[in-house]
Each structure stands twice: as C-alpha cells, then as structure tokens.
Amino acid sequence: MVEDEVDDSEVDQWEEFPVVLQQKSMEYSIKSKRSSRARYSYGIIFLITNLIAWFVRDYGESVLPVLQYSRACGDEGSECSHTMGVLRVSLGCFIFFLVMFLTTCFTSKLYEVRNVWHSGWWILKFLMLITFTVIPFFVPSDYIQLYGEFARVGAGVFLILQLISVIEFITWWNNYWMPDERKKQSSCSLGLFMSTVCYIASICGIVVMYVLYASKTSCILNIFFISWTAILLVVMMAVSLHSKVNRGLLSSGIMASYVVFLCWSAIRSEPATQKCSPQQQNSGHGGWTTVIGFLIGICAIVMATFSTGIDSQTFQFRKDKVQSEDDVPYKYGFFHLVFSLGAMYFAMLFISWNLDGLPRKWSIDVGWASTWVKIVNEWFAATIYLWKLILPVVRQTKVMDHEETEEELDSTTSV
C-alpha cells in the first residue's frame, strides 16, 4: 500500500510538470512583451527631451522667466537658453540614461530584478527625469561648456555605432537576397531589380546635386564633395564585383544610395550666407517648409537612436549564441548606453556642433561644422564598407600562406 501511494504521488508530480513548464513559459512571454514595449516608452522619453531642448533653445529666454532666478543662468537667463540651454537639457538626458545603463547592464534573464526595473517603475523614472533635467540649470556654465566638449566625442562615438549598424543591416539584406542553390530564381530577379533601382537613384542623385549645388565653377567645394562621392560609388562597385570578393551589386547599390544621401545632407547643411548653399537666409521660422523639415529632423534623430539601440546583436562578439525563452529580448545596457550617447548627439545637431555660436530658430544641423562632420561620416562609412569587403579575402590569403608554409616545413623535415 505504501509503495502504491508513493507511485501515485510520483505520477501526479510528473503530470503537474508540463503544467508548471507551460506556466513558466507564459510568464516569460508576458515579461518579454513588457520589456519590448518598454523600449518604445524610452523612445517617447527621448523624443520629449528633444522637444524640450528645442523649446529652451528657441524660446527659453522669453517664455521661461523663472530661469532668471538661477545664479548659474547669468543675467536675464542668457546662460540657460540658446546653445547653453540645449547643453543643459542634454546633460540631464545623458545622466538619466547613464543611470539606467549602470543599473541594467549585464541583465541577461527575464526573472532578474533588474528586468523589472527596466520594464516598470515609470512614476519613479519620470521623477528621476524631471530631477536630472532641472539640476543642470543650477550648474555653473564652465562645467556645462566642459560637458559640451565631452558631448562632441560622445556624438562622434554615436555616429560610428550608427554607421556600423547601418552597414551590418546592408550586409544582412544582401545575404538575404543573394541567390544560392537553395534560393529561387525570383529572389535573384528581385535582388537584381533592387540593385538596379539603387544605382539609378544614386546616379540621378549625383546629377541633380551637380545641377543644383555645383552649376557654377566657383562652387569648388561642392564640386569636390560630389565628384569624390561619385568616385566612391565606382570604387565600391568595382571592389564588390571583383572575382575574389564577388559580393554582387545589391549591397554596393544600397551603400551607394546611402553615401549619396550623406553627401546631399552635408551640402544642405552649408551656411545660408554662402553663395553656393541651398539654404536661404530666413528670419524667424522661415515658413512651413522649415518647420516641417525641422520636425522631420527631430524624428530622424529619435529613429536613428532607437534603431541603433535595439541592434545589440551587431556588436556582440559571439553571434552564434542560442536564445532561450528566459533571455532578455535585447541588451538593456547597450540600449541605454546608445540613448545616453544619443543625448549628446542631438545636442550637437541642435547647436550645429558649435559651442560658441548662436543657432537660428527652427534650424537643425546647419553650419560648416555640421557639413564637415557629415562629409567625414560619408568617407568613413565608405571606408568601413570597403574594409568589410576586403577583410575576408585578406584573411583567406593569410590562411593559405600559413598552410603553404607548414607544407614546406613538413616536406623539408621529411627529406
């Protein structure tokens, strides 16, 4: 009788085991969805911070008289508006996401307490954000200026991470559509069509830029920018089609479109006072086109930060790791680190990378500093892409040389 009771209890335990596993699986699924929704909340926080920085820059001195009561803001609050106002808001946003980075980095499982902190406690985080945003308005201007110098470096690091993320996406997209023995002919046709469209768009972009921004022989700098971009297109296509590389036209076509876009964006950032600049000197907000362009620019900043933040797999050393159901859906530490760097990046765009200038209302990323940052960004993007194409060939050559050396040593030893 005792043995029968023991056997019955064991059977009951085994019958309950699948139920427990199913409950655990459902619990992990709910936590994973909550964590995925949390990143959109952080994106909204980042967008709100961008809007606050814009408001403080353009209207803080006239609409926020309370700034005059802060000793750090100087006479009539001039040190807490315009460029300095943007840097103060950026510093608050940077501190908020830095704290989130320090408290969530190395989180790997959904059942950890840090996962609950990342996905919840929104009232406390809202109070933290307000506190961190207000505190910099009481910090002396010398320290804010020092943060501005530091923000230039952080914004540069953000641009590098963004470039790597974009190039990895282009590589993945090329591998997805590249035909192989298991792919159908339709994939090959679609990939060829997409590469053709990208190259046609790139060539048309080059021609349009020549017509609009380099029609005069006096526009030497614009002619140089556009011509060098055209050369980069030819080099990327040639390397991609080389017999030892053999990556096809799709990745180089997409990269060509991206490089042409960067060149166009750089020329568009030239100061309005220049005779070859596409900008026109406007007073005030300059009409609805300027307002819409400004809002699109802010949305682009948020999207660039968000897309880079969730792309933690690109920057992992081990990409063959199998994802378990209790693993976090993305790396929280990397996500918040990118957003903290994004706080520096939007500050640089709002002040056009110039710590001593006075940015124009409803303008974003306009000035010679912005132009050269984008041009260097374009050249650096092309360099990284070409290096990713050449690197496998270089490694293969080294392996073959090493094997030949070993064979020669073996033959010598045997003799």
Side-chain angles (χ1 to χ4, degrees):
M1 291 294 293
V2 175
E3 291 180 357
D4 292 340
E5 290 179 359
V6 172
D7 293 339
D8 292 339
S9 63
E10 289 180 353
V11 170
D12 292 338
Q13 289 177 358
W14 281 106
E15 289 179 351
E16 292 176 357
F17 188 69
V19 178
V20 174
L21 286 179
Q22 187 176 5
Q23 291 177 348
K24 282 286 187 183
S25 179
M26 290 180 61
E27 181 181 350
Y28 290 145
S29 178
I30 293 173
K31 289 183 178 180
S32 180
K33 291 180 179 178
R34 186 180 299 139
S35 173
S36 298
R37 289 195 298 266
R39 59 189 180 184
Y40 295 103
S41 300
Y42 289 113
I44 293 174
I45 290 174
F46 190 75
L47 174 61
I48 293 173
T49 308
N50 276 256
L51 295 174
I52 292 174
W54 155 73
F55 185 81
V56 171
R57 185 196 72 173
D58 289 355
Y59 302 102
E61 192 172 7
S62 57
V63 180
L64 299 175
V66 68
L67 297 178
Q68 303 177 12
Y69 296 98
S70 174
R71 184 178 299 177
C73 291
D75 298 335
E76 300 181 355
S78 59
E79 293 294 323
C80 289
S81 60
H82 306 300
T83 297
M84 297 300 291
V86 171
L87 292 176
R88 293 177 190 275
V89 176
S90 169
L91 177 59
C93 183
F94 167 75
I95 295 174
F96 172 79
F97 282 107
L98 181 63
V99 170
M100 293 303 305
F101 163 73
L102 294 175
T103 54
T104 59
C105 61
F106 304 115
T107 305
S108 58
K109 299 297 181 181
L110 291 169
Y111 52 76
E112 295 183 29
V113 178
R114 288 177 293 182
N115 175 68
V116 179
W117 165 242
H118 170 80
S119 307
W121 295 84
W122 293 108
I123 296 178
L124 177 59
K125 290 175 185 174
F126 181 71
L127 295 175
M128 284 173 50
L129 180 63
I130 294 176
T131 303
F132 293 146
T133 304
V134 172
I135 287 177
F137 286 90
F138 296 92
V139 175
S141 299
D142 292 339
Y143 294 102
I144 301 299
Q145 195 79 13
L146 182 62
Y147 166 75
E149 298 290 348
F150 177 63
R152 281 177 170 172
V153 179
V157 174
F158 175 84
L159 284 175
I160 294 174
L161 295 179
Q162 184 186 8
L163 278 181
I164 295 174
S165 179
V166 170
I167 294 174
E168 283 295 324
F169 171 77
I170 292 174
T171 303
W172 170 85
W173 189 255
N174 179 72
N175 294 335
Y176 182 80
W177 290 110
M178 275 289 288
D180 54 26
E181 296 179 356
R182 296 170 295 177
K183 298 270 185 176
K184 295 181 179 180
Q185 187 67 26
S186 58
S187 299
C188 177
S189 301
L190 185 57
L192 181 61
F193 171 76
M194 293 174 60
S195 61
T196 304
V197 170
C198 289
Y199 270 110
I200 291 176
S202 302
I203 295 172
C204 291
I206 293 290
V207 173
V208 169
M209 284 192 294
Y210 269 123
V211 173
L212 296 180
Y213 311 138
S215 57
K216 302 176 183 178
T217 56
S218 58
C219 302
I220 299 176
L221 190 59
N222 287 354
I223 294 174
F224 168 71
F225 289 159
I226 301 170
S227 301
W228 187 250
T229 301
I231 293 173
L232 289 176
L233 263 61
V234 175
V235 171
M236 289 189 296
M237 183 179 67
V239 172
S240 183
L241 291 176
H242 194 276
S243 58
K244 291 186 177 181
V245 177
N246 195 22
R247 289 296 184 91
L249 289 173
L250 182 56
S251 65
S252 60
I254 299 174
M255 194 64 196
S257 302
Y258 181 63
V259 167
V260 170
F261 167 76
L262 290 177
C263 180
W264 171 82
S265 179
I267 295 176
R268 292 283 301 176
S269 295
E270 292 178 0
T273 54
Q274 299 299 314
K275 56 184 177 180
C276 298
S277 171
Q279 301 282 341
Q280 292 182 355
Q281 191 70 33
N282 294 315
S283 58
H285 54 74
W288 284 106
T289 55
T290 304
V291 175
I292 294 174
F294 177 80
L295 295 177
I296 292 175
I298 290 182
C299 293
I301 296 171
V302 177
M303 288 300 298
T305 307
F306 183 84
S307 60
T308 307
I310 62 177
D311 188 23
S312 57
Q313 292 183 350
T314 297
F315 303 92
Q316 288 181 358
F317 293 103
R318 290 186 58 190
K319 299 184 180 181
D320 57 344
K321 184 180 179 181
V322 179
Q323 185 83 3
S324 304
E325 65 175 4
D326 60 344
D327 288 340
V328 294
Y330 53 97
K331 298 300 181 183
Y332 301 157
F334 179 80
F335 178 81
H336 292 297
L337 177 62
V338 170
F339 269 74
S340 65
L341 295 174
M344 301 179 181
Y345 178 64
F346 84 69
M348 292 298 104
L349 295 188
F350 279 144
I351 66 175
S352 299
W353 300 81
N354 188 0
L355 301 180
D356 301 320
L358 186 64
R360 196 160 45 91
K361 284 186 178 181
W362 294 95
S363 67
I364 184 169
D365 206 18
V366 175
W368 280 120
S370 299
T371 298
W372 280 106
V373 166
K374 291 180 179 179
I375 286 295
V376 173
N377 194 27
E378 174 201 338
W379 298 344
F380 194 65
T383 303
I384 293 178
Y385 175 74
L386 291 172
W387 175 245
K388 283 184 66 67
L389 292 179
I390 298 173
L391 182 61
V393 179
V394 175
R395 286 180 175 176
Q396 186 178 4
T397 303
K398 287 184 177 180
V399 171
M400 294 178 63
D401 293 341
H402 182 68
E403 291 178 353
E404 291 178 358
T405 303
E406 288 184 346
E407 290 178 358
E408 291 177 359
L409 290 175
D410 293 338
S411 60
T412 304
T413 304
S414 60
V415 172

